[in-house]
């Protein structure tokens, strides 16, 4: 009986520092989480006083602000091949998965090419069959999707 009692006491004493360390680590994690979730700023409307504002921002005169539109010659052309790789189009189009026409497969493209590039653009932008709109790359512009389609067409012509 004494041996069991001594074993229990030793085990309890051995686990005590570990539980204290775990509580300390949990407190540090909670503090770090609170810092990450803390607001990064404060919205103060005109006429209100902000407690943490160092000095008010100067008013912007929009009448003197001009935005120059780039000329057509300055706009870089989209690189369809690079966008194709970036968008991971090859995940389906390299092997023709789920009915996708394989890139470079001259047998899979004639019927699609007969519809015209506008129809191909619309299918790529709006989705077709198993392919979601824009191939799931909603952050790509329509022009970037068109560049990818043009690249895929160039691989079979």
């Amino acid at each position: 009986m004494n041996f069991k009692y001594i074993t229990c006491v030793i085990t309890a004493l051995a686990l005590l520092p570990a539980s204290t360390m775990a509580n300390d680590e949990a407190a540090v994690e909670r503090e770090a989480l609170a810092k990450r979730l803390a607001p990064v700023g404060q919205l103060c409307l005109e006429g209100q006083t902000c407690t943490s504002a160092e000095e008010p921002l100067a008013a912007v005169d929009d009448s003197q602000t001009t935005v120059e539109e780039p000329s057509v010659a300055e706009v870089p052309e989209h690189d369809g091949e690079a966008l194709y790789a970036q968008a991971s189009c090859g995940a389906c189009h390299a092997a023709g998965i789920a009915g996708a026409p394989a890139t470079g497969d001259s047998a899979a493209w004639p019927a699609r090419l007969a519809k015209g590039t506008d129809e191909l653009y619309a299918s790529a932008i709006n989705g077709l069959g198993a392919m979601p709109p824009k191939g799931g790359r909603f952050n790509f512009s329509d022009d970037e999707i068109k560049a990818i389609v043009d690249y895929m067409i160039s691989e079979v012509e």
Side-chain angles (χ1 to χ4, degrees), residues 3-143:
F3 180 71
K4 288 182 182 179
Y5 178 72
I6 292 171
T7 305
C8 287
V9 169
I10 291 173
T11 304
L13 291 175
L15 293 176
L16 185 62
S19 66
T20 304
M21 288 174 39
N23 287 337
D24 291 342
E25 290 175 5
V28 169
E29 287 182 23
R30 281 192 299 274
E31 186 177 317
L33 178 63
K35 283 182 182 178
R36 288 193 306 267
L37 295 176
V40 294
Q42 186 178 34
L43 176 65
C44 298
L45 300 176
E46 188 174 335
Q48 292 179 335
T49 57
C50 296
T51 57
S52 63
E54 294 175 14
E55 60 183 73
L57 297 175
V60 176
D61 184 7
D62 289 338
S63 65
Q64 296 178 1
T65 306
T66 58
V67 177
E68 293 184 26
E69 294 291 327
S71 69
V72 174
E74 293 173 352
V75 176
E77 188 174 323
H78 296 294
D79 181 3
E81 184 177 6
L83 290 169
Y84 175 90
Q86 182 182 354
S88 303
C89 298
C92 294
H93 286 281
I97 295 174
T103 305
D105 181 3
S106 57
W109 283 90
R112 290 170 174 87
L113 292 173
K115 295 178 184 179
T117 55
D118 288 337
E119 184 66 30
L120 290 174
Y121 292 153
S123 296
I125 292 168
N126 300 319
L128 180 68
M131 184 180 76
K134 296 186 177 184
R137 295 303 295 246
F138 302 107
N139 58 328
F140 277 35
S141 70
D142 289 356
D143 289 336

